[in-house]
């Protein structure tokens, strides 16, 4: 399968609108971007799966020159992962959108119900409620939703496997370092891990909640309570023994001299698994 990173940034992206910080200026000078998160997966069978609907949907697809999705998954209902769904209007005749069926105590409905309620005007979209930990097949791929930790909302990571090539893609999802053990077991040993790492651990001093899930050296692996630090994401890659780890959901608050390190993804990267 071919994996294309359509969007590798956080909720504001890099460069950020109206920002002239060193990191945004460095991105401009390098000619790279980190738009809002989204991943395109083309199976060996020749069909495509979209993971999350970035608000930058139109731009991402035109820039990457990839086919519109034959199926899609929504990991959670934050706007930077969902609000691009409206872009499929007139682009698809029948688009199954898979989302978790667990009721979120914060919203009173599941991710699947939220997607259906917000986009009920899209006749081409059929929402497919999906149970976590239960693999399902779509577009020639086997996909499993795995619960992670992204308070206050329920959120899910993913394991995507291509039975024809044997390739395995794991996504941490938007998460703190406190991913449940059962989910970690499923995500382990992937060819490629996309790990959510938003800022360096040193930035935790600027968060009202500070940092959490400190390692043996006292380094926080979670920034606040929603996202892993860069250090936490790297440690997750080591813990899961991924063949390769790429850090995603990166913010422009990473110092410019470190913001484009070798393991930090930028939009447009492609991987054959």
């Amino acid at each position: 399968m071919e994996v294309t990173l359509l969007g590798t940034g956080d909720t504001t992206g890099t460069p950020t609108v109206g920002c002239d910080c060193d990191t945004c200026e460095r991105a401009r000078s390098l000619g790279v971007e980190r738009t809002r998160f989204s991943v395109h997966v083309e199976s060996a069978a020749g069909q495509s799966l979209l993971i999350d609907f970035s608000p930058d949907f139109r731009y991402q697809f035109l820039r990457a020159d990839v086919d519109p999705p034959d199926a899609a998954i929504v990991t959670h209902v934050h706007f930077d992962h969902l609000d691009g769904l409206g872009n499929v209007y007139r682009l698809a005749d029948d688009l199954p959108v898979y989302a978790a069926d667990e009721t979120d105590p914060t919203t009173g409905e599941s991710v699947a119900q939220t997607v259906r309620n917000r986009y009920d005007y899209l006749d081409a979209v059929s929402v497919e409620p999906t149970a976590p930990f239960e693999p399902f097949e779509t577009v020639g791929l086997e996909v499993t939703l795995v619960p992670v930790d992204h308070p206050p909302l329920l959120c899910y990571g993913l394991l995507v496997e291509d039975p024809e090539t044997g390739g395995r893609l794991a996504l941490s999802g938007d998460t703190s370092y406190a991913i449940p053990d059962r989910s970690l077991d499923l995500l382990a040993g992937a060819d490629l891990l996309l790990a959510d790492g938003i800022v360096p651990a040193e930035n935790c001093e600027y968060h009202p909640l500070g940092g959490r899930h400190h390692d043996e050296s006292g380094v926080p692996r979670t920034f606040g309570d929603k996202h892993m630090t860069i250090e936490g994401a790297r440690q997750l890659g080591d813990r899961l023994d991924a063949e390769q780890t790429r850090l995603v959901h990166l913010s422009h608050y990473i110092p410019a001299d470190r913001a484009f390190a070798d393991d930090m993804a930028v939009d447009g990267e492609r991987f054959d698994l």
Side-chain angles (χ1 to χ4, degrees):
M1 61 180 166
E2 183 178 76
V3 178
T4 302
L5 307 187
L6 296 179
T8 56
D10 70 340
T11 188
T12 65
T14 303
T16 295
V17 173
C19 183
D20 60 359
C21 74
D22 290 345
T23 301
C24 288
E25 289 299 312
R26 178 67 173 152
R28 294 184 183 103
S29 70
L30 292 172
V32 298
E33 292 182 282
R34 290 177 175 143
T35 55
R36 274 73 69 88
F37 182 79
S38 187
V39 178
H40 185 275
V41 182
E42 183 175 338
S43 70
Q47 294 181 293
S48 62
L49 174 71
L50 181 66
I51 301 170
D52 284 340
F53 289 91
S54 167
D56 302 307
F57 179 105
R58 178 182 177 276
Y59 173 64
Q60 290 175 344
F61 272 80
L62 290 173
R63 179 187 57 183
D65 191 25
V66 291
D67 292 332
D70 298 295
I73 300 170
V74 174
T75 61
H76 66 297
V77 298
H78 278 154
F79 95 97
D80 53 325
H81 295 258
L82 174 59
D83 282 10
L85 179 53
N87 285 273
V88 304
Y89 184 66
R90 295 181 180 169
L91 295 184
D93 295 324
D94 180 19
L95 181 68
V97 176
Y98 298 87
D101 62 359
E102 293 181 304
T103 299
D104 190 323
T106 299
T107 65
E109 58 188 20
S110 67
V111 175
Q113 289 171 317
T114 299
V115 175
R116 182 183 293 115
N117 292 340
R118 291 190 188 178
Y119 293 95
D120 59 345
Y121 64 90
L122 294 175
D123 294 336
V125 170
S126 60
V127 179
E128 306 292 336
T130 304
F133 295 120
E134 293 188 10
F136 63 92
E137 294 184 4
T138 184
V139 301
L141 300 168
E142 185 174 279
V143 183
T144 308
L145 283 167
V146 295
V148 292
D149 180 58
H150 190 55
L153 299 178
L154 293 184
C155 185
Y156 304 86
L158 291 172
L159 176 64
V160 181
E161 301 175 275
D162 191 322
E164 188 166 330
T165 67
R168 302 176 79 247
L169 167 67
L171 286 82
S172 74
D174 280 20
T175 184
S176 79
Y177 194 76
I179 299 173
D181 288 342
R182 186 180 178 188
S183 297
L184 292 173
D185 290 342
L186 278 173
L187 296 174
D191 299 296
L192 175 64
L193 169 67
L194 302 180
D196 164 40
I198 196 165
V199 294
E202 67 205 47
N203 290 34
C204 290
E205 65 178 288
Y206 304 110
H207 194 289
L209 298 179
R212 297 169 59 202
H213 308 127
H214 296 74
D215 65 15
E216 296 80 1
S217 300
V219 175
R221 291 176 287 197
T222 296
F223 175 70
D225 64 350
K226 290 182 174 64
H227 297 274
M228 286 185 286
T229 61
I230 302 298
E231 292 84 348
R234 286 173 174 157
Q235 289 188 41
L236 180 69
D238 292 340
R239 182 177 180 183
L240 294 181
D241 195 26
E243 182 72 22
Q244 184 174 6
T245 298
R246 302 297 286 161
L247 275 55
V248 296
H249 211 277
L250 299 160
S251 76
H252 71 131
Y253 295 112
I254 305 165
D257 61 345
R258 288 179 276 158
F260 303 97
D262 289 345
D263 62 349
M264 294 185 179
V266 295
D267 292 7
E269 294 182 12
R270 282 187 165 92
F271 304 86
D272 289 316
L273 307 180

